[in-house]
């Protein structure tokens, strides 16, 4: 450590004082969320009406001695509870990630001695020593420094490091961002220089702690789909209880057997209970998460998948999301002439820019940590390797550091001739012009070049050189006779796939908004480059701060670029969009994005460059940070919801004949057709398996050429309910007709039941196939090479054959043997039950073709 930092006179806190502070103010860490134990999770899950009914039915069956049916029902309860418990343990770790990030190892001075301690043990008033590569352990004020620069992108989202100045004793703490502030912040990274600072805030009181607190206070909302399925489950459950009671009473009074009346009532209750809905939802979202992982999208919260398909707005951070979060040297300017750099090109650099790269390298560290200096070294050595412009054996004599008064630094090198010093300087163009004592005309010429580069979204550095006879070096950089060499232009490159992805998002009716902490000029340049709508209209953080909530809600309808915003304002933007009834997807990678990510309907974090905090606060994570993956995810979300609607329509339709065949025989005094084992066969084998068929069904062709579905679109609308009820009633009519006819011709109870049940199974298979697409015909669906469909159809047929032709199973299900002609009748009846719907589809396709 340089003696300029004056460490000898710093004693710091005594150990006793530090221990007392920890007792009084606590450790330097964020409080973690209280974890739920297994009993609390179980209690929360079983409060659902469907599960309460399942448990009740299972227990009653157990008392009545129907152990097989009881175990089948209760197994549903344990499966759902197990899945929920697993998901609970894998979510809500954002505060833990913040705590780990904000508690690195720290070098402190205590009792006059330097000590390396755990970051959580740092206390207020501690003196900390900062060096290149250190993570700042707490918010602190800089007492002394040498060329200190800190990367605050975790808090501001900006890739460029910011300079730090020394505290003058009166300045009050400010928010992160901007050069020459005397404050450093917990979790940020020292990229250049060194310094000594005094801690002013720890734990929850740091800037990172404030974000953690806001993150903790935000409560996640249930997705619309979850709310709707809960409502459907509740309504079905109420109807099931009413009908169950009614059947029990009718059976008891008309037939005199209350025990069998309870069994019949519970059978109808099972037929009415919509346990398929939560199971189908879990299957769809779980398999959807697996499919999305193929596009490098990790699903942390499964409900984000279906919500993403309805997204109307995508809010995206610029740095690290639209761009690569790295500074690339792309332009050189010497004597007013620009030269663009492409590392992939084979041609050499023009001779007139060799000096610029040579002195830019000399003005940087030999082994740089700063990303801009690393880029300068990389580009320079790529083009000038093995030339006289690379000086690896030169000796650095002195370094003139950058200051608030002069935003430039200089390196003094000893030349091989031992007679002269070679000085290389770099810094802001204005500071370099000042060092070179530019005239008014020279300044005007320089500004022309600067404006041209700035209009292209470039960050600009100037470079100068000087020779000095080998005598005592002056105290200030101004005493050298500098000669201006040229300008360096850096840019944070846009990801190659961003423009095409945004175009596809616009075609799908999704509004894309860029939110950045960068300057408006850079933001507008990027917005034009990636194809945002109205790129020249923007709102700055200061303008946003002056707006009330209603003004922001109105302006945000047309503005797609927000510049110079702070984390709290990102959250305000998301909330304003939600207030406008938009479904908001928010992407981000930094700590500063965490609150907005969690508040948005769908939070999408960057996996490679993103922080743990951003990932833990998000529902989705892009593993490869590829913006185009968001579009794939949106496509998948739309496909899932479409197929879920088809599955829901199927479930409603298939419950009509099942419930009808449980209720009508009791009402009309006929022999009972469906027993608990039959319901278990239909619901535990066919229904959940068929859900996988709908899930794997390919997307409709126009899925990304239509606007997002309305915010409150239901799984069931009048049209789908009408068709589902008509399908169910037509199947019920056919199955009941087969049952009545078999009884009428004296087939016997067992044979009538077997014929009716077989018809119901075949009709069920027909119902699956015809509902896979409402725009394609039956045979086209069959030829679609849907493996899940083939598996389910063959599995259902095989299971039906087993329960009919295996004596043990036939007796268990109370069936009888069926001959070939009987099977042909049931198969024909099952197909006839839905032939009308195929006719409707053909008429619809014919109308479309005529248009």
């Amino acid at each position: 450590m340089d003696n300029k930092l004056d460490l000898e006179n710093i004693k710091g806190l005594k150990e006793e004082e530090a221990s007392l502070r920890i007792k009084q103010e606590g450790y330097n860490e964020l409080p973690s969320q209280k974890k739920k134990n297994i009993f609390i999770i179980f209690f929360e899950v079983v409060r659902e009406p469907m599960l309460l009914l399942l448990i009740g039915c299972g227990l009653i069956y157990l008392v009545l001695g129907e152990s097989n049916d009881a175990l089948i029902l209760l197994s549903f309860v344990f499966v759902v509870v197990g899945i929920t418990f697993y998901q609970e343990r894998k979510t809500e770790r954002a505060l833990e990630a913040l705590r780990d990030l904000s508690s690195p190892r720290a070098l402190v001075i205590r009792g006059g001695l330097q000590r390396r301690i755990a970051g959580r043990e740092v206390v207020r008033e501690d003196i900390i020593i900062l060096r290149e590569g250190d993570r700042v352990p707490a918010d602190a004020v800089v007492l002394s420094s040498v060329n200190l620069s800190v990367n605050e992108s975790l808090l501001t989202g900006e890739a460029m490091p910011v300079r730090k100045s020394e505290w003058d004793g009166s300045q009050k703490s400010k928010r992160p961002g901007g050069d020459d502030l005397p404050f450093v912040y917990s979790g940020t990274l020292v990229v250049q220089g060194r310094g000594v600072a005094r801690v002013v805030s720890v734990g929850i009181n740091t800037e990172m702690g404030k974000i953690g607190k806001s993150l903790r206070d935000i409560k996640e909302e249930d997705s619309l789909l979850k709310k709707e399925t809960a409502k459907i489950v509740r309504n079905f459950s109420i109807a099931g209880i009413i009908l169950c009671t009614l059947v029990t009473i009718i059976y008891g009074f008309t037939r005199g057997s209350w025990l069998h009346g309870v069994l019949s009532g519970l059978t109808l209750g099972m037929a009415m209970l919509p346990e398929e809905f939560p199971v189908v939802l879990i299957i769809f979202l779980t398999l959807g998460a697996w499919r999305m992982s193929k596009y490098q999208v990790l699903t942390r919260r499964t409900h984000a998948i279906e919500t993403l398909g309805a997204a109307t707005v995508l809010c995206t951070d610029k740095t690290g999301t639209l761009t690569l979060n790295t500074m690339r040297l792309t332009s050189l300017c010497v004597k007013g002439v620009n030269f663009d750099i492409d590392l992939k090109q084979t041609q050499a650099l023009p001779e007139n820019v060799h000096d610029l790269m040579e002195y830019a390298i000399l003005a940087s560290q030999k082994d740089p940590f700063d990303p801009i200096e690393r880029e300068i070294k990389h580009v320079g050595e790529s083009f000038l390797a093995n030339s006289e412009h690379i000086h690896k054996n030169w000796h650095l004599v002195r370094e003139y550091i950058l200051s608030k008064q002069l935003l430039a630094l200089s390196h003094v090198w000893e030349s091989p001739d031992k007679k002269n010093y070679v000085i290389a300087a770099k810094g802001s163009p204005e500071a370099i012009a000042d060092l070179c004592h530019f005239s008014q005309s020279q300044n005007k010429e320089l500004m022309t070049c600067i404006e041209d580069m700035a209009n292209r979204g470039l960050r600009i550095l100037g470079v100068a050189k000087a020779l000095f006879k080998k005598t005592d070096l002056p105290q200030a950089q101004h005493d050298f006779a500098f000669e201006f060499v040229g300008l360096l232009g850096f840019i944070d490159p846009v990801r190659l796939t961003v423009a095409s992805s945004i175009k596809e998002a616009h075609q799908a009716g999704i509004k894309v908004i860029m939110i950045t902490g960068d300057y408006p000029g850079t933001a507008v340049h990027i917005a034009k480059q990636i194809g945002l709508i109205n790129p020249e209209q923007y709102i700055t953080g200061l303008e946003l701060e002056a707006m009330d909530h209603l003004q922001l809600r109105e302006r945000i309808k047309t503005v797609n670029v927000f510049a110079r915003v702070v984390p709290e304002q990102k959250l305000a933007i998301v909330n304003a969009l939600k207030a406008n009834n938009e479904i908001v997807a928010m992407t981000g990678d930094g700590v500063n994005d965490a609150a907005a990510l969690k508040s948005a309907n769908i939070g999408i974090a960057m996996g490679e460059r993103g922080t743990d905090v951003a990932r833990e606060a998000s529902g989705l994570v892009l593993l490869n940070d590829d913006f185009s993956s968001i579009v794939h995810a949106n496509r998948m979300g739309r496909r899932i919801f479409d197929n879920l609607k088809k599955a829901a329509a199927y479930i409603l339709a298939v419950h009509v004949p099942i419930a009808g065949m449980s209720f009508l025989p009791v009402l009309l005094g006929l022999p009972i057709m469906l027993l608990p084992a039959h319901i278990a066969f239909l619901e535990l084998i066919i229904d959940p398996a068929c859900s996988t068929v709908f899930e794997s069904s390919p997307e409709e062709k126009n899925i990304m050429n239509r606007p997002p579905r309305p915010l409150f679109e239901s799984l069931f609308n009048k049209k789908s309910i009408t068709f589902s009820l008509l399908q169910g009633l037509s199947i019920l009519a056919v199955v009941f007709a087969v049952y009545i006819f078999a009884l009428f011709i004296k087939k016997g109870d067992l044979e009538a039941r077997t014929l009716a049940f077989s018809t119901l199974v075949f009709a069920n298979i027909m119902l699956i196939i015809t509902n896979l697409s409402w725009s394609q015909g039956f045979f086209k669906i069959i030829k679609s090479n849907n493996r899940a469909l083939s598996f389910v159809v063959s599995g259902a047929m095989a299971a039906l054959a087993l329960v009919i032709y295996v004596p043990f199973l036939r007796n268990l299900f109370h069936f009888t043997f069926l001959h070939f002609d009987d099977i042909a009748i049931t198969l024909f009846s099952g197909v006839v039950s839905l032939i009308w719907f195929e006719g409707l589809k053909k008429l619809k396709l014919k109308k479309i073709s005529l248009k």
Side-chain angles (χ1 to χ4, degrees):
M1 183 68 73
D2 195 299
N3 57 9
K4 290 181 182 179
L5 295 179
D6 194 21
L7 298 180
E8 295 179 1
N9 298 323
I10 298 177
K11 299 299 180 185
L13 295 177
K14 296 180 181 178
E15 288 294 340
E16 296 79 10
E17 293 174 317
S19 299
L20 181 61
R21 297 243 170 167
I22 289 176
K23 289 181 181 179
Q24 293 174 340
E25 302 177 8
Y27 284 101
N28 178 34
E29 60 187 8
L30 300 180
S32 59
Q33 288 180 315
K34 186 177 180 181
K35 293 183 179 180
K36 298 176 183 178
N37 60 45
I38 189 172
F39 300 105
I40 294 175
I41 296 173
F42 181 81
F43 176 73
E44 290 180 350
V45 174
V46 298
R47 285 187 301 176
E48 295 288 333
M50 185 273 296
L51 284 178
L52 288 174
L53 287 173
L54 280 177
I55 293 171
C57 290
L59 292 176
I60 292 173
Y61 269 109
L62 204 59
V63 171
L64 295 175
E66 300 288 341
S67 58
N68 290 337
D69 298 292
L71 290 174
I72 289 172
L73 287 174
L74 292 175
S75 66
F76 264 109
V77 176
F78 290 108
V79 168
V80 174
V81 171
I83 292 173
T84 305
F85 178 76
Y86 175 76
Q87 290 178 332
E88 185 74 26
R89 290 303 188 198
K90 297 203 68 163
T91 58
E92 295 307 322
R93 304 186 192 273
L95 289 175
E96 282 78 2
L98 271 171
R99 182 186 61 193
D100 294 341
L101 186 60
S102 62
S103 187
R105 301 287 292 176
L107 183 63
V108 302
I109 299 177
R110 286 188 180 168
L113 300 175
Q114 295 184 27
R115 290 190 54 205
R116 182 74 67 174
I117 64 173
R120 68 190 297 268
E121 296 176 4
V122 171
V123 299
R124 193 169 52 82
E125 300 296 329
D126 251 334
I127 302 299
I128 56 176
I129 300 173
L130 303 174
R131 295 169 173 162
E132 285 187 4
D134 284 350
R135 184 78 66 178
V136 180
D139 287 7
V141 59
V142 178
L143 301 179
S144 59
S145 66
V146 174
N147 204 26
L148 182 63
S149 294
V150 179
N151 185 325
E152 295 180 348
S153 61
L154 286 177
L155 297 173
T156 66
E158 294 311 309
M160 288 290 291
V162 291
R163 299 183 304 273
K164 294 299 174 182
S165 62
E166 295 178 1
W167 188 48
D168 63 7
S170 62
Q171 290 170 281
K172 294 183 179 180
S173 181
K174 294 184 179 180
R175 288 175 175 171
D179 289 315
D180 300 319
L181 292 178
F183 308 103
V184 290
Y185 303 94
S186 177
T188 59
L189 185 67
V190 179
V191 296
Q192 190 176 60
R194 46 203 184 273
V196 175
R198 175 169 53 82
V199 175
V200 294
S201 299
V202 297
I204 199 71
N205 297 315
T206 63
E207 288 297 318
M208 187 177 290
K210 292 174 186 176
I211 294 175
K213 186 175 184 298
S214 67
L215 195 62
R216 183 182 60 186
D217 292 341
I218 296 171
K219 294 183 179 179
E220 281 192 278
E221 303 174 1
D222 284 340
S223 69
L224 297 175
L225 186 56
K226 187 175 181 181
K227 291 176 182 177
E228 184 180 1
T229 52
K231 184 178 180 181
I232 294 171
V233 166
R234 182 194 65 196
N235 294 340
F236 268 73
S237 300
I238 292 171
I241 291 173
I242 293 172
L243 289 176
C244 175
T245 305
L246 185 62
V247 165
T248 301
I249 293 172
I250 292 174
Y251 197 105
F253 278 113
T254 59
R255 307 194 187 192
S257 175
W258 289 96
L259 178 61
H260 286 89
V262 170
L263 286 171
S264 297
L266 289 175
T267 302
L268 178 58
M270 286 181 63
M272 291 292 297
L273 284 175
E275 64 268 27
E276 296 94 348
F277 279 109
V279 173
V280 163
L281 189 58
I282 289 171
I283 290 173
F284 268 62
L285 297 183
T286 301
L287 291 181
W290 171 72
R291 294 184 191 281
M292 288 175 70
S293 68
K294 294 183 176 181
Y295 294 103
Q296 298 297 305
V297 179
L298 173 66
T299 304
R300 297 197 63 258
R301 294 173 180 85
T302 52
H303 70 74
I305 300 174
E306 50 93 4
T307 311
L308 183 62
T312 58
V313 178
L314 174 58
C315 293
T316 172
D317 187 42
K318 177 183 73 68
T319 306
T321 308
L322 298 175
T323 65
L324 295 170
N325 193 23
T326 182
M327 301 309 294
R328 295 280 174 82
L329 179 55
T330 60
S331 183
L332 306 175
C333 182
V334 177
K335 295 181 180 180
V337 179
N338 285 304
F339 180 81
D340 292 330
I341 293 178
D342 183 358
L343 287 177
K344 295 180 180 179
Q345 68 187 16
T346 56
Q347 68 183 69
L349 285 177
E351 186 66 32
N352 64 325
V353 300
H354 286 189
D355 275 4
L356 177 57
M357 288 309 306
E358 176 183 359
Y359 283 94
I361 295 172
L362 290 174
S364 305
Q365 299 290 335
K366 274 192 170 183
D367 187 17
F369 189 81
D370 178 80
I372 283 186
E373 293 192 347
R374 287 205 307 267
E375 176 68 3
I376 291 172
K377 182 180 180 181
H378 174 61
V379 172
E381 292 185 350
S382 296
F383 285 104
L384 304 177
N386 302 317
S387 74
E388 70 277 9
H389 298 286
I390 301 298
H391 311 288
K392 293 186 177 181
N393 60 339
W394 281 22
H395 173 64
L396 181 64
V397 177
R398 182 170 175 177
E399 178 181 357
Y400 290 86
I401 66 171
L402 179 146
S403 66
K404 281 195 290 186
Q405 291 74 30
L406 185 65
L407 302 181
L409 60 84
S410 297
H411 286 177
V412 179
W413 299 87
E414 187 176 47
S415 65
D417 62 12
K418 304 293 184 180
K419 294 179 181 179
N420 296 304
Y421 290 127
V422 176
I423 301 96
K426 77 173 190 296
S428 72
E430 296 80 4
I432 295 299
D434 184 28
L435 283 177
C436 296
H437 305 289
F438 267 18
S439 65
Q440 188 173 357
S441 61
Q442 287 175 311
N443 274 320
K444 187 176 180 180
E445 184 181 341
L446 177 65
M447 285 307 301
T448 301
C449 194
I450 290 174
E451 287 176 7
D452 176 66
M453 297 176 77
N455 289 336
R456 291 186 281 152
L458 299 176
R459 299 286 180 89
I460 307 164
L461 286 179
V463 177
K465 65 179 180 178
L467 282 177
F468 192 79
K469 288 186 179 180
K470 195 169 182 183
T471 58
D472 291 339
L473 290 168
Q475 292 300 313
Q477 300 179 68
H478 268 295
D479 295 328
F480 295 114
F482 278 107
E483 176 189 346
F484 187 78
V485 181
L487 299 175
L488 306 172
F490 298 85
I491 196 168
D492 186 2
V494 170
R495 296 179 180 276
L496 295 177
T497 56
V498 167
S500 59
S501 298
I502 287 180
K503 182 179 179 181
E504 190 169 358
H506 287 160
Q507 289 175 344
I510 301 171
K511 176 184 174 79
V512 181
I513 293 177
M514 180 173 69
I515 305 173
T516 177
D518 215 331
Y519 291 95
T522 304
V524 169
H525 176 80
I526 296 294
K528 290 179 179 178
Q529 195 174 349
I530 62 179
L532 286 188
I533 297 172
N534 301 326
E536 294 183 348
Q537 295 185 29
Y538 61 86
I539 295 175
T540 65
L542 288 176
E543 293 171 338
L544 195 153
E545 192 173 349
M547 293 180 188
D548 60 30
H549 186 62
L550 293 177
Q551 288 175 318
L552 177 58
R553 285 180 60 183
E554 189 61 30
R555 287 290 305 281
I556 209 168
K557 292 178 181 178
T558 55
V559 175
N560 298 317
V561 178
F562 287 80
R564 300 301 287 170
V565 299
V566 296
E568 293 83 354
Q569 292 172 330
K570 291 185 178 184
L571 185 59
I573 292 168
V574 170
N575 289 338
L577 287 166
K578 290 173 70 177
N580 284 347
N581 292 327
E582 304 281 7
I583 298 181
V584 185
M586 167 73 183
T587 69
D589 62 352
V591 173
N592 61 308
D593 298 319
L597 285 169
K598 191 171 182 182
S599 179
N601 299 93
I602 314 108
I604 309 171
M606 301 296 110
E608 289 183 349
R609 297 181 182 275
T611 62
D612 288 343
V613 182
R615 286 191 288 269
E616 293 295 336
S618 302
L620 301 174
V621 179
L622 304 185
L623 297 178
N624 59 355
D625 288 8
D626 189 344
F627 191 85
S628 64
S629 297
I630 301 172
V631 179
H632 290 301
N634 180 269
R635 180 190 296 271
M636 186 62 66
R638 292 184 177 204
R639 168 186 162 179
I640 289 170
F641 189 82
D642 275 4
N643 290 344
L644 194 55
K645 285 184 70 174
K646 297 173 186 176
Y650 159 73
I651 291 171
L652 177 60
V654 80
H655 269 274
V656 173
I658 294 174
M661 292 308 295
S662 299
F663 180 70
L664 288 177
V666 176
L667 185 65
L668 300 177
L670 300 172
I672 301 300
M673 183 250 170
L674 288 177
L675 300 174
H678 306 144
I679 304 295
F681 180 95
L682 291 169
E683 295 189 351
L684 294 180
I685 297 178
I686 296 180
D687 289 358
C690 291
S691 300
T692 64
V693 178
F694 286 102
E695 190 281 330
S696 61
S697 180
E699 65 199 38
E700 301 291 346
K701 292 182 180 179
N702 68 336
I703 198 166
M704 291 301 285
N705 291 320
R706 64 192 190 203
R709 68 178 187 270
L711 183 64
F712 297 107
E713 181 180 336
S714 172
L715 275 176
F716 295 105
N717 53 34
K718 290 183 179 179
K719 181 180 178 181
S720 63
I721 289 176
T722 300
F723 277 120
S724 292
L725 290 178
L726 286 175
Q727 287 177 337
L729 289 172
S730 65
I731 293 174
L732 174 60
V734 170
V735 173
F736 191 67
V738 170
Y739 186 60
I740 291 293
F741 181 74
L743 291 175
F744 179 76
I745 61 175
K746 307 299 182 182
K747 285 280 189 179
D749 295 356
L750 294 183
E751 191 168 357
R753 174 184 293 134
T754 310
L755 287 168
F757 186 80
S758 299
T759 302
L760 181 56
V761 171
F762 288 130
N764 189 7
I765 293 172
M766 179 70 180
L767 185 64
I768 296 166
I769 297 172
T770 195
N771 276 289
L772 278 174
S773 176
W774 289 4
S775 62
Q776 292 184 344
F778 181 86
F779 293 105
K780 199 166 185 179
I781 295 172
I782 291 291
K783 295 177 181 178
S784 64
N785 194 28
N786 188 325
R787 292 184 180 180
L789 175 62
S790 302
F791 174 79
V792 167
V793 170
S794 59
M797 300 282 282
L800 180 63
L802 288 174
V803 297
I804 292 176
Y805 296 111
V806 175
F808 171 76
L809 294 175
R810 186 166 64 234
N811 293 333
L812 181 64
F813 278 79
H814 303 281
F815 284 158
T816 189
F817 187 91
L818 290 183
H819 297 89
F820 178 79
D821 56 342
D822 296 323
I823 292 294
I825 292 171
T826 59
L827 178 60
F828 175 77
S829 300
V831 172
V832 167
S833 67
L834 286 175
I835 199 71
W836 62 271
F837 188 68
E838 284 299 306
L840 280 181
K841 287 200 290 187
K842 284 190 176 182
L843 286 175
K844 181 182 177 182
L845 292 173
K846 189 174 181 179
K847 287 181 180 179
I848 294 173
S849 63
L850 289 174
K851 290 180 181 179

